Amino acid sequence: MDAISFVLGIKSSHLRSAHLRDLVYRGRVLRTSTIDGGGSATKNDLNGHANGDDASEDEAAEHNTQERHDPKSAWVTAVYEDDAGDEQFWKRTITNQGVSEYRINDRVVTAQQYNEALEAENILIKARNFLVFQGDVEAIASQSPRDLTRLIEQISGSLEYKAEYERLKEAQDEALDIQNFNLGRRRGINSELKQYEEQKREAENYSKKADERDQAIVTHILWKLYHFQRVMEESSAEIQRHQEELKEHRRSIEKYEHSLDEAKKDQTKVGKEVAKTEKSIKGKDKEIEGKENGLVPVAEKIDLSRQSVAKCEKRVADITKERDSHSASVKQSTKDLKVVEKAQAQWENERKKLAEQEGRELSETDIQQYNKLKSEVNKRTASDQARVDNLSRQQKADEETVNSLKSKVDSAEWQSQKLESELGEIGERKTDVNSQIKEITKDMSIKKKAYNEQTSERLRLSQVRTEKDEQLQEVLTKLLEAEDGRKQNEKDVRLRNTVSDMKHIFPGVKGRVSELCKPIEKRYGVAVSTVLGRNFDAVIVENEKTAVDCIQYLRDQRRGQATFIPLDTIQWTSSGSNLKGTRGTRMAIDSISYESSLERAVAYVCGNAVICDDLATAKHVCWDKRNDVKAVTLDGSIIHKGGNMTGGLSGKQDTRRWEDAEVENLRKLKDKLLADLSSLPEPRRGNTEEEQLQGELTGLEQRLLYVKEEAKAHERNQTSKQKELSHAQDQLEAARPKYQEKSRELETSKQHLQELQAAVSEVQDGVFAAFCQRLGYDNIRTYEAQQGSLQQEAAQKNLEFSTQKSRLQSRIKYEEQQLQETNSRIKRLEDQITQDQALIEELGAEQENVQGELDRLGAEIEQLGEQLKKQKAKHTQKAEKVNEQRREVQKRSHTVESTLRAISGLESERQLSAAGRYSLLRRCKLEDVDLPLTEESRPLDRLPIDEIVQTDPDAMDVDDDQDLSSMQPSNIPDYGIEIDFEDLDDDLKDLGDDNRTEDELQNRVKQLNGELDHMAPNMRAMERVQTAKGRLATTDQDYEDARKRAVKAKDAFAKVKDKRFELFNKAFSHISEQIGPIYKDLTKDPVNLPMGGSAYLDMEDSDEPYLDGIKYHAMPPLKRFRDMEHLSGGEKTMAALALLFAVHSYQPSPFFVLDEVDAALDNANVAKIANYIRDHAGPGMQFIVISLKTGLFQGSEALVGIYRDQGANTSKALTLDVNVLSFPLEYSMLIRLQLRKYQ
C-alpha cells in the first residue's frame, strides 16, 4: 500500500514517516551484494558463499561491521495500461539527497507535470479518489458535516475557487460599505446646504441691526470721552491753583524741619554709643561665662587629684604597717638564727671538754685481745652483724628522711598560718573598699538623679520655649498675611471708616462685598478671592440713587473713591445649568455664603465663573467641552473665556481678609504666647547648678573608677594568696602522710634492730665475759658505748642544729622578698603622690589666674554699666527733644496736609477720568470701534493696550491713592489721539442729568444688543454655503465611483460564486443520486433482505452549500432512523464504504485501491462487498483489494503476492490468474498461505 501511494504522488507525511529518507528500507544486505546507483543490490562471487550462511561466525561479524552498506535511495515503478492497450511507466525515486525525482516513460518531469499526467487519467492526488487507507473507513464514518463538505469540494474541484471566492466577497463587502458611506455623506451635505442658505438670510438682517448698534455705541463713547476730557481740564486748573498755595506753606515750616533733622542726628549718634556700650557689656559677659565654664573642670581636676593623694597616703600607711611586720619578722628570725648558732658552738666546746675528761686508754695487750675477741665475735655473728650494720645505715637514712619531712611539715604549717593571716587582712581591706564602692554608687545615684532632674527641667523649659517661639512665629506670620490682606494701613482704615460713615448717613448702604459674603469652605478662599477680583472691596447698595449720593458724598468730603453695585439696576445672567453636577467643578456663586437679598450683587460679581479642583479639570471644562465660562482653580489659576490663562498667587492675600474674628483670635493668641514666654524662667548663664552637679558626678565617677581598680587589685591579691595557701596546704597534705609513714617505718626498723642487736649482744657477752670482768665493765657494749656515744650524740645534735638553721634561713629569705616587694609598692605610691601634688599646685595656679581675670572683667563690666546709665539718660533727653521738634513740625503741617489732600482728591479725579478715557480708547481699539478723529490726531491703532490695568468703564473704580507728600501732578499722556466731537449733539455736550443721559444711551445699546442676541445668526453662512456646494460636488463624484466599483465587485464575485456552486452542486447531485442505490446494493440480501437499507445526503445551506455542512444519514435494513455515531462498527463500515463508492463514481479513476476495508465486517458483509466489487468491476474500472478475508480474495480474478528479493534488495510480485485455473478450496488455501509467506 505504501508503494502504491508513494508512486501515485501521495506525500510522505500521509505515509508512515514525515521524511522521505525514512521510507528507504535499511534491512540486512547480503555480503555478496553491492548497492548500485539506483538503489538495487547486485551479487558478487566471494569465497563461494551465496549468502554467508557457511562462513564462520568471526567472518560474519567482521563483514557485518566492515562491509555493510545501507541503501540511501529507493524507487517504485507503476505500469499503467489504458483502454487502448498503451502502457505508461510512472516512476518516483528517493534520491541520495533525500528528495523525490519523477519520471514518466523514463523521462524526468517535475512534480506538477507528474500530477497533471495523473489527473489526465482522472487520478486526483488531492482528492485521493483512487485509494482508501485502512483507517479512512472509520474516519469517514465518524467525520463531521463540514469534513464531508470539504471532501465533496475536493472531488468536485470547487475547493480551488475558495480563496478567490473569499477575496472577491471581501472586496464586494468593502465596496458596498464605501458606497453606503458616500451615500450618507451626500445626504448630510444636502441637509447642511439647506440650513446654511437659511442662515445666510438671517446673517444679512443681523448685519443691518449690528450697524445701528455700533453707531449707538460710538455715540455713547463720544459722550463719555467728552465729559472725561472736560473733567481732566478743570481738575488740572484747580490742582495748579492749590500747588501755588502749597509752596507758600512749605517755606514757613522748612526751619522747623531743619531743627528736627539736627535733633534726629544727635539722637542717632547717642543711640550708636549706647549700642556700642551694650555690645561691649555683652562681650564681657560672654568672656566671663567662658572663663567660669573653664574653672569647673579645673576644680574637678584639683578635687580628683586631692582624693588620689589621700587615697595613696592611706595606702602607703597600710603597706608601711605590712612592711614593718615583715621587717620585724626578719629581725626576729635573724636573732633566732644567731641564738641557734651560738648554742651549737657552745655545745661543741662542752662536748670536747667532756670527752677529754671521761676518756680511757687501753693497753696494747688489751687492745690486741679486744681485737682478737672482736674477730671471734665477728666470725660467730657475721650474718647478724651484717644485718645490724645494714639496718643501722638504713635507720640513719630513715631518720634523716623523717627529720626532712618533719621540717617540710613545720614549714608548710607556718606558711599556711601566715597566708591565712594575710588573707584575713586582704578580706578586711576588700570589705572596706566594697563599702566605699556602695557609698560612692549611692552618692552617684543621688547626684545623677538630681542632675537628670535639672537637665530634664532645662530641656523641658527649652522645649516649651521653642514650641512657644514656633507658635508665636507662626501666629506672627499669619498676622502678617492677614495684615497684608486686610491692608492695615491708612487707606484700608479710611475705606472702612468711610463705608461705616456712609452706612449711618445713607440707609441703603449694605457694606463691602468682602464683608457680606464668605467662602462656604476654607479651601475655596483663594479661588473666591480670585473670582471677586476688583470687586472685592466694592460697596453693595440698594438702588442707583443711593450709589449716586454716596459718590457725591465722596467727592464733597474728598475721601477717595469706591465702586458701587446697586441691587435694582445691576445686570446679571444665571449660570449655565449644564455645568452643574460635573465632577470636580462647581459654580463660583455656589461656593459663597451670603444673604438671599444680596443674590443679584453676588451673581454679578461672580458672573459665569466656575471653580475647579485643579488645572486639568479647568482645561477639560473650557477646552474639551467648549463651555463659555471663566474657570478658576483652587490655587488661583484662571482660564479666561478667550482662552488665555493667568496664574500666580494674586488671590492669596485677599483670602486672609475674610475672617476678622480669626484675626482677632490670632492677636489674642499672640498676647497669650508672649505672656507665657515672659512667665518662663530665664535660662541662667552657664547653668551653674547643673554644671556643678556634672562636675561632682565626674569626680565621683573617677573616684569610683579608682576604688574599683583597688578592689580589683585586692581581688587579684586575694586570688594569688588563695592560690599560695592552696599550694601550701597541698604540700602539707602531701608531706604529712609521708612523714607519718616514715615515722612508723623508722619505729619498726628500730625494733628489728634491737632484736638483732640483742642476739649479737648475747654472743658478745659470752666471748667478752672474761675480758669485761677483768677490765671492770659490765659488758663489752658499755666499753664501746663509752667510746662511741660521744660521736653519736654529736651527730644527733649537729642534725638538730642544721634543721633549725635551715628553717630559720628559709623564713628570713621569704620575709626579705616580701619586704622588698612592699618597699617597691610604697615607692610607686610615693611617686604617684608627688605627681598629684605637683598637678594640684599647677591647677591651683591656673585657678588663681582665671579668678584674677574674672575679677578684672567684673570691674570692667561695672564701669561699663555706669557708663551705659549715663548714655541712656542722655539718649532719653535727645529723644524728648526730637519729639518736641516733631510736634512743632506736625502742628504747622496741618494746613499743608489739607492742601495736599485736596490736591490728591483732584489728582485722583483727574486720574480716574484719564483712566476712563484710556479704557474707552483701549476698548475701541480692541473692539474695532470706529471713532471720529481730528486731522492732526494719530490713528487709534497706535494706542498701547498694556499701559495700565484694564478697568470697567461703568464701575467707579480708581487706582490707589497718591502719595500725600507729592506736590507735582502726574503726567497723563494723551497718546496723540484727539477726538472729533463735531458729530456729538449739543444736548449731550451740556451739563445736565448725567445719570439720565447715561441710562438712555445704555438702554439704546442694550435694546439693540438684545435684538441681536435673539437673532444669533451664523455670520459664516455665506462662506459655508460655497464650501458645502464644493463638498457636495466632490461627494457626488465619490459616490458614483463607489457605485461603479461595487457593481464591478458584485459581478466578479457572482461569477466565481456561480462557478463554485455549479461544480459543487454537480458533484453533490451525482453523489446524492448514487448513495441510495449503492447503500441498498451493499446491504440487501436476496433471500432475507431484498429491499436493503436506505441512505441519503442532507444539505444544510442550499444557496451556498460549501459554506456549511452536509449530513450523511444511513438506515440499515429493518432498523429505525438513528445518528451515525449510534450504529455498530460493521454498520458504520458499510455506510462509509457506500459513501466512498458513491464519491468515487463521480469522477472515477481507472482503478480503486482498498486497504483492508473489511477489517470490521463479518463474513456476510464481506460477501456483500465482494459481490458489489465483482458486479462493478470491468475493463474501465479495476479494483485492487488488500484483504485477509477469504470471502474477498477467493472470488477475485487474480491474486498478487509481494515478497522481497534479498539478493537484489528489491520487492517482487507473484501473480496468479484465478479465472484460468480450477482447483478445490483446499488448494486455494494453500496458495493463499504460500503468498502470505512472501508478504
Side-chain angles (χ1 to χ4, degrees):
M1 188 63 181
D2 290 341
I4 295 172
S5 303
F6 176 76
V7 75
L8 294 179
I10 300 299
K11 294 182 179 180
S12 62
S13 59
H14 295 162
L15 301 177
R16 301 179 186 272
S17 177
H19 303 285
L20 288 174
R21 291 181 183 272
D22 297 335
L23 295 176
V24 179
Y25 179 74
R26 291 182 177 85
R28 181 171 59 86
V29 180
L30 293 178
R31 183 169 58 87
T32 58
S33 302
T34 59
I35 306 300
D36 60 8
S40 301
T42 59
K43 293 184 178 180
N44 295 327
D45 188 9
L46 293 176
N47 299 327
H49 300 295
N51 53 9
D53 293 339
D54 297 334
S56 65
E57 293 181 0
D58 294 339
E59 291 177 351
E62 180 180 358
H63 286 289
N64 284 339
T65 57
Q66 296 182 2
E67 297 185 6
R68 175 175 175 172
H69 300 284
D70 290 339
K72 297 181 181 179
S73 62
W75 53 267
V76 177
T77 300
V79 181
Y80 172 70
E81 182 180 353
D82 57 12
D83 296 337
D86 296 332
E87 290 185 351
Q88 296 185 25
F89 294 89
W90 295 333
K91 182 179 182 181
R92 184 180 179 186
T93 305
I94 301 176
T95 64
N96 293 334
Q97 290 76 24
V99 297
S100 294
E101 181 184 77
Y102 300 93
R103 292 176 180 269
I104 300 177
N105 297 328
D106 205 22
R107 180 174 58 86
V108 178
V109 296
T110 63
Q112 182 178 359
Q113 293 173 344
Y114 195 80
N115 291 339
E116 291 175 353
L118 294 176
E119 290 177 358
E121 301 297 333
N122 215 12
I123 302 173
L124 305 179
I125 297 176
K126 292 181 180 180
R128 293 195 300 184
N129 63 338
F130 56 89
L131 60 85
V132 178
F133 284 106
Q134 182 176 352
D136 287 352
V137 176
E138 183 178 354
I140 291 174
S142 60
Q143 67 181 348
S144 64
R146 287 189 176 274
D147 294 336
L148 181 56
T149 301
R150 182 174 180 82
L151 176 62
I152 296 176
E153 275 205 285
Q154 291 175 343
I155 296 298
S156 65
S158 65
L159 187 61
E160 297 178 0
Y161 294 92
K162 180 180 180 181
E164 187 176 4
Y165 170 88
E166 293 176 350
R167 180 181 61 80
L168 292 176
K169 180 174 178 60
E170 184 178 355
Q172 172 187 303
D173 295 339
E174 183 179 358
L176 289 175
D177 292 340
I178 294 174
Q179 177 185 353
N180 295 331
F181 173 73
N182 288 322
L183 179 60
R185 284 180 59 199
R186 186 175 69 173
R187 292 174 179 174
I189 292 173
N190 282 325
S191 178
E192 288 181 10
L193 185 59
K194 294 179 181 178
Q195 183 179 0
Y196 289 151
E197 288 177 349
E198 181 65 25
Q199 292 177 356
K200 176 183 176 183
R201 291 189 292 270
E202 294 178 358
E204 292 174 351
N205 295 330
Y206 182 84
S207 298
K208 294 178 182 179
K209 189 66 68 175
D211 293 339
E212 295 180 10
R213 189 270 316 271
D214 293 341
Q215 185 58 39
I217 291 174
V218 170
T219 302
H220 182 214
I221 292 174
L222 285 175
W223 176 79
K224 295 187 74 172
L225 288 173
Y226 178 80
H227 285 281
F228 283 146
Q229 187 70 28
R230 187 169 62 184
V231 170
M232 290 168 60
E233 293 174 355
E234 292 175 355
S235 298
S236 297
E238 194 69 19
I239 289 172
Q240 190 65 32
R241 183 178 64 81
H242 283 299
Q243 286 179 347
E244 294 297 331
E245 295 176 357
L246 185 61
K247 290 178 182 179
E248 295 297 330
H249 295 309
R250 282 288 187 183
R251 294 191 193 99
S252 63
I253 62 173
E254 284 181 355
K255 61 178 183 177
Y256 294 103
E257 290 179 346
H258 180 69
S259 300
L260 178 61
D261 293 338
E262 292 296 330
K264 287 182 178 179
K265 290 179 181 179
D266 294 340
Q267 182 187 10
T268 304
K269 183 177 180 181
V270 175
K272 290 181 179 179
E273 294 176 356
V274 171
K276 183 177 180 182
T277 304
E278 290 178 346
K279 184 177 180 182
S280 299
I281 292 174
K282 289 182 180 179
K284 299 295 183 182
D285 289 338
K286 188 174 182 180
E287 188 174 356
I288 289 174
E289 182 180 352
K291 291 187 177 297
E292 287 179 349
N293 292 335
L295 280 177
V296 174
V298 172
E300 293 174 358
K301 291 180 181 179
I302 292 173
D303 189 20
L304 292 175
S305 298
R306 288 174 179 172
Q307 293 175 3
S308 178
V309 168
K311 175 189 170 185
C312 291
E313 290 176 349
K314 182 180 178 182
R315 186 65 182 146
V316 166
D318 295 337
I319 297 175
T320 301
K321 292 179 181 179
E322 186 178 350
R323 182 189 64 181
D324 295 341
S325 174
H326 289 301
S327 179
S329 179
V330 169
K331 291 179 180 180
Q332 184 63 37
S333 299
T334 304
K335 184 177 179 180
D336 293 342
L337 180 60
K338 290 179 178 180
V339 171
V340 172
E341 290 176 349
K342 185 177 180 180
Q344 184 180 9
Q346 185 178 358
W347 177 79
E348 288 288 345
N349 294 329
E350 291 177 354
R351 185 179 65 81
K352 289 180 180 179
K353 291 179 179 179
L354 182 60
E356 291 176 356
Q357 294 176 0
E358 296 182 354
R360 296 180 183 179
E361 296 293 334
L362 296 179
S363 62
E364 187 68 25
T365 303
D366 292 336
I367 292 173
Q368 290 179 357
Q369 185 180 2
Y370 172 79
N371 292 332
K372 182 179 178 182
L373 294 174
K374 190 69 174 176
S375 298
E376 182 67 21
V377 171
N378 289 336
K379 289 180 180 179
R380 293 181 181 180
T381 61
S383 60
D384 292 339
Q385 191 65 41
R387 293 173 65 187
V388 169
D389 292 339
N390 291 334
L391 286 175
S392 298
R393 288 192 298 271
Q394 182 67 33
Q395 186 176 353
K396 290 181 180 180
D398 290 341
E399 287 176 353
E400 291 178 358
T401 301
V402 168
N403 292 332
S404 176
L405 290 173
K406 187 174 183 303
S407 176
K408 287 183 179 180
V409 169
D410 294 341
S411 177
E413 288 179 350
W414 179 83
Q415 186 74 17
S416 298
Q417 292 174 0
K418 184 171 180 59
L419 288 174
E420 288 175 355
S421 175
E422 292 179 354
L423 281 173
E425 294 177 358
I426 293 173
E428 292 176 358
R429 289 197 295 269
K430 185 177 177 183
T431 303
D432 187 20
V433 169
N434 289 333
S435 63
Q436 292 181 13
I437 290 175
K438 291 180 180 179
E439 292 177 0
I440 294 173
T441 305
K442 183 177 179 182
D443 293 342
M444 284 183 63
S445 300
I446 296 172
K447 298 291 185 184
K448 190 172 292 184
K449 182 178 180 182
Y451 174 74
N452 290 335
E453 290 176 355
Q454 290 283 343
T455 304
S456 300
E457 182 65 18
R458 177 176 58 81
L459 293 176
R460 186 186 67 81
L461 292 176
S462 176
Q463 184 177 1
V464 170
R465 186 179 296 278
T466 302
E467 292 176 355
K468 296 292 184 184
D469 286 337
E470 292 177 354
Q471 293 177 4
L472 182 60
Q473 291 298 326
E474 184 178 357
V475 170
L476 291 175
T477 302
K478 291 181 179 179
L479 279 174
L480 285 176
E481 294 177 357
E483 295 300 327
D484 290 340
R486 289 167 56 86
K487 300 292 184 181
Q488 291 294 336
N489 49 31
E490 290 186 9
K491 178 185 175 183
D492 190 56
V493 172
R494 285 201 310 273
L495 181 58
R496 286 207 310 271
N497 294 336
T498 300
V499 174
S500 178
D501 293 341
M502 287 191 297
K503 283 184 180 180
H504 291 89
I505 298 173
F506 306 105
V509 177
K510 300 294 185 181
R512 291 189 296 173
V513 173
S514 60
E515 298 171 349
L516 297 174
C517 61
K518 296 180 181 180
I520 59 176
E521 295 181 17
K522 285 188 177 181
R523 66 191 186 102
Y524 295 127
V526 175
V528 171
S529 300
T530 305
V531 170
L532 297 182
R534 59 187 176 82
N535 292 314
F536 198 87
D537 288 324
V539 181
I540 300 176
V541 296
E542 287 187 351
N543 49 50
E544 183 180 2
K545 182 179 182 304
T546 303
V548 173
D549 293 340
C550 290
I551 293 172
Q552 189 63 38
Y553 170 78
L554 293 176
R555 288 178 178 175
D556 295 341
Q557 298 297 322
R558 302 290 183 179
R559 301 187 68 171
Q561 298 144 358
T563 300
F564 294 92
I565 302 175
L567 294 173
D568 60 340
T569 60
I570 198 71
Q571 298 293 327
W572 64 282
T573 56
S574 61
S575 60
S577 60
N578 59 333
L579 293 173
K580 294 182 179 180
T582 304
R583 185 175 183 181
T585 63
R586 64 185 301 154
M587 298 304 298
I589 191 172
D590 296 335
S591 303
I592 299 175
S593 175
Y594 56 89
E595 295 181 1
S596 59
S597 59
L598 305 176
E599 183 177 4
R600 292 174 59 84
V602 177
Y604 168 74
V605 297
C606 292
N608 60 349
V610 179
I611 295 178
C612 304
D613 289 346
D614 48 34
L615 191 59
T617 305
K619 292 179 180 178
H620 176 70
V621 169
C622 293
W623 295 344
D624 297 343
K625 290 191 173 183
R626 300 186 181 277
N627 292 312
D628 189 16
V629 296
K630 179 173 74 173
V632 181
T633 64
L634 294 178
D635 60 358
S637 300
I638 309 173
I639 299 180
H640 299 275
K641 295 181 182 179
N644 55 316
M645 298 177 62
T646 303
L649 300 176
S650 60
K652 184 176 181 181
Q653 295 179 350
D654 291 337
T655 59
R656 303 304 305 167
R657 298 170 59 183
W658 296 110
E659 300 292 344
D660 291 337
E662 183 179 354
V663 173
E664 187 63 28
N665 292 334
L666 288 174
R667 290 199 183 96
K668 291 180 181 179
L669 182 58
K670 181 193 72 172
D671 296 338
K672 182 178 180 301
L673 291 174
L674 290 173
D676 293 341
L677 285 173
S678 61
S679 64
L680 291 175
E682 290 293 332
R684 284 169 292 183
R685 185 177 59 193
N687 292 326
T688 307
E689 295 181 3
E690 185 177 347
E691 291 177 356
Q692 183 178 358
L693 287 172
Q694 187 176 7
E696 294 177 357
L697 275 174
T698 304
L700 289 173
E701 289 175 355
Q702 195 70 24
R703 183 181 173 190
L704 180 62
L705 182 62
Y706 292 154
V707 174
K708 285 183 177 180
E709 287 295 331
E710 184 178 358
K712 290 180 181 178
H714 287 318
E715 186 69 28
R716 291 193 296 270
N717 194 10
Q718 186 180 23
T719 303
S720 177
K721 295 294 183 183
Q722 190 67 42
K723 289 181 180 179
E724 292 179 8
L725 178 60
S726 299
H727 179 67
Q729 291 177 349
D730 292 340
Q731 287 183 344
L732 180 61
E733 293 296 329
R736 183 173 290 165
K738 292 181 180 179
Y739 169 70
Q740 294 174 353
E741 183 180 358
K742 288 296 182 181
S743 297
R744 289 192 297 270
E745 291 178 357
L746 181 60
E747 291 296 330
T748 304
S749 178
K750 285 181 179 181
Q751 291 178 0
H752 193 196
L753 180 60
Q754 289 177 359
E755 294 175 354
L756 291 175
Q757 286 178 348
V760 173
S761 297
E762 184 177 357
V763 175
Q764 287 179 346
D765 291 340
V767 174
F768 283 99
F771 180 78
C772 291
Q773 186 177 5
R774 182 173 59 84
L775 292 178
Y777 291 101
D778 292 334
N779 50 48
I780 192 60
R781 291 182 296 280
T782 303
Y783 168 74
E784 291 176 351
Q786 185 178 0
Q787 296 298 324
S789 61
L790 295 175
Q791 296 179 356
Q792 292 177 358
E793 184 179 356
Q796 183 67 27
K797 284 291 185 180
N798 286 330
L799 179 60
E800 292 177 357
F801 284 130
S802 297
T803 301
Q804 290 182 5
K805 287 169 64 178
S806 177
R807 180 171 57 83
L808 291 173
Q809 288 173 355
S810 298
R811 182 180 298 177
I812 290 170
K813 184 177 180 181
Y814 172 75
E815 293 294 341
E816 285 178 350
Q817 290 178 354
Q818 293 295 323
L819 182 61
Q820 184 178 0
E821 181 182 354
T822 305
N823 290 329
S824 300
R825 290 164 62 192
I826 292 174
K827 182 64 169 61
R828 289 196 298 270
L829 291 173
E830 289 175 349
D831 293 341
Q832 181 65 37
I833 292 171
T834 303
Q835 293 178 3
D836 291 342
Q837 289 176 348
L839 180 61
I840 289 172
E841 293 176 358
E842 182 180 352
L843 293 174
E846 182 179 354
Q847 190 176 24
E848 291 177 359
N849 293 334
V850 173
Q851 190 63 43
E853 290 291 330
L854 289 175
D855 296 339
R856 182 182 60 79
L857 291 173
E860 291 179 358
I861 289 176
E862 290 180 359
Q863 293 177 1
L864 291 173
E866 294 295 332
Q867 183 179 352
L868 181 61
K869 290 180 182 179
K870 295 178 182 179
Q871 290 176 349
K872 284 186 176 180
K874 186 177 180 180
H875 185 267
T876 303
Q877 294 176 0
K878 295 295 182 182
E880 183 62 29
K881 186 177 180 180
V882 169
N883 292 332
E884 183 180 355
Q885 294 295 329
R886 185 179 287 112
R887 286 193 294 270
E888 291 294 332
V889 170
Q890 290 177 353
K891 187 185 300 181
R892 289 166 176 77
S893 297
H894 289 310
T895 306
V896 174
E897 290 178 359
S898 61
T899 304
L900 288 174
R901 194 176 295 110
I903 293 174
S904 177
L906 292 170
E907 181 65 21
S908 297
E909 188 174 357
R910 181 169 170 266
Q911 290 285 349
L912 179 61
S913 299
R917 179 177 182 274
Y918 173 78
S919 298
L920 287 174
L921 294 176
R922 184 173 180 272
R923 173 188 169 190
C924 293
K925 177 180 179 180
L926 294 175
E927 297 180 1
D928 292 331
V929 178
D930 189 11
L931 290 177
L933 304 176
T934 61
E935 294 180 357
E936 295 81 8
S937 174
R938 299 175 67 184
L940 192 60
D941 56 4
R942 301 292 294 275
L943 178 73
I945 63 174
D946 56 353
E947 189 70 19
I948 59 174
V949 180
Q950 181 180 358
T951 60
D952 188 356
D954 296 331
M956 285 147 280
D957 266 346
V958 295
D959 295 334
D960 291 342
D961 290 346
Q962 299 293 325
D963 187 3
L964 295 179
S965 64
S966 176
M967 295 189 303
Q968 297 297 328
S970 60
N971 185 19
I972 299 176
D974 59 0
Y975 309 105
I977 298 174
E978 299 180 3
I979 308 299
D980 185 4
F981 297 104
E982 292 295 332
D983 295 337
L984 188 63
D985 295 340
D986 294 337
D987 296 338
L988 297 176
K989 292 181 181 180
D990 295 337
L991 291 175
D993 191 353
D994 292 344
N995 294 329
R996 184 177 59 80
T997 305
E998 175 79 9
D999 292 341
E1000 291 177 356
L1001 294 174
Q1002 285 186 349
N1003 289 334
R1004 176 59 180 165
V1005 173
K1006 290 178 181 178
Q1007 179 184 357
L1008 293 174
N1009 280 330
E1011 294 176 1
L1012 290 173
D1013 290 341
H1014 284 86
M1015 296 177 69
N1018 185 1
M1019 301 307 295
R1020 300 182 62 183
M1022 180 66 72
E1023 178 184 351
R1024 293 185 177 180
V1025 166
Q1026 298 300 327
T1027 303
K1029 289 182 178 180
R1031 288 168 54 206
L1032 180 61
T1034 303
T1035 304
D1036 287 340
Q1037 183 62 37
D1038 292 342
Y1039 172 73
E1040 188 63 25
D1041 294 341
R1043 188 186 63 80
K1044 292 179 180 179
R1045 286 194 297 271
V1047 171
K1048 184 177 180 181
K1050 184 178 180 181
D1051 294 341
F1053 173 70
K1055 184 177 179 181
V1056 173
K1057 176 184 175 182
D1058 294 342
K1059 182 64 176 177
R1060 186 180 183 187
F1061 178 79
E1062 180 183 355
L1063 292 174
F1064 187 88
N1065 194 50
K1066 181 179 179 183
F1068 176 79
S1069 299
H1070 175 82
I1071 295 171
S1072 182
E1073 291 174 357
Q1074 295 294 324
I1075 189 66
I1078 292 175
Y1079 185 72
K1080 183 178 293 186
D1081 291 343
L1082 290 176
T1083 58
K1084 71 180 180 178
D1085 186 352
V1087 178
N1088 298 325
L1089 302 171
M1091 299 300 294
S1094 61
Y1096 63 94
L1097 297 176
D1098 185 11
M1099 187 184 297
E1100 294 182 355
D1101 187 355
S1102 59
D1103 295 332
E1104 292 183 282
Y1106 38 78
L1107 297 181
D1108 214 329
I1110 294 177
K1111 292 184 179 180
Y1112 173 38
H1113 302 283
M1115 187 167 60
L1118 302 178
K1119 291 188 179 181
R1120 59 184 178 85
F1121 175 79
R1122 60 178 64 180
D1123 293 334
M1124 185 68 70
E1125 59 267 16
H1126 295 153
L1127 299 179
S1128 64
E1131 292 172 346
K1132 287 182 181 180
T1133 302
M1134 297 299 289
L1137 288 173
L1139 179 60
L1140 288 173
F1141 291 146
V1143 170
H1144 182 265
S1145 67
Y1146 174 64
Q1147 287 183 344
S1149 62
F1151 54 86
F1152 200 20
V1153 182
L1154 301 176
D1155 182 13
E1156 295 190 28
V1157 297
D1158 56 351
L1161 299 178
D1162 54 8
N1163 293 330
N1165 288 327
V1166 169
K1168 294 177 182 179
I1169 295 296
N1171 294 332
Y1172 179 84
I1173 293 174
R1174 187 185 302 108
D1175 295 340
H1176 291 78
M1181 182 62 187
Q1182 181 184 9
F1183 284 90
I1184 302 173
V1185 182
I1186 300 173
S1187 176
L1188 299 177
K1189 299 293 182 68
T1190 305
L1192 277 178
F1193 66 78
Q1194 72 180 2
S1196 61
E1197 296 178 352
L1199 298 177
V1200 180
I1202 305 298
Y1203 71 96
R1204 182 175 181 273
D1205 188 345
Q1206 186 74 18
N1209 194 30
T1210 183
S1211 299
K1212 291 189 176 181
L1214 296 176
T1215 60
L1216 179 65
D1217 191 353
V1218 181
N1219 293 330
V1220 300
L1221 297 177
S1222 178
F1223 44 79
L1225 180 61
E1226 291 80 2
Y1227 187 65
S1228 66
M1229 293 295 293
L1230 179 61
I1231 293 174
R1232 179 173 67 85
L1233 292 174
Q1234 290 176 348
L1235 290 176
R1236 290 188 64 185
K1237 177 180 178 182
Y1238 293 103
Q1239 286 182 355

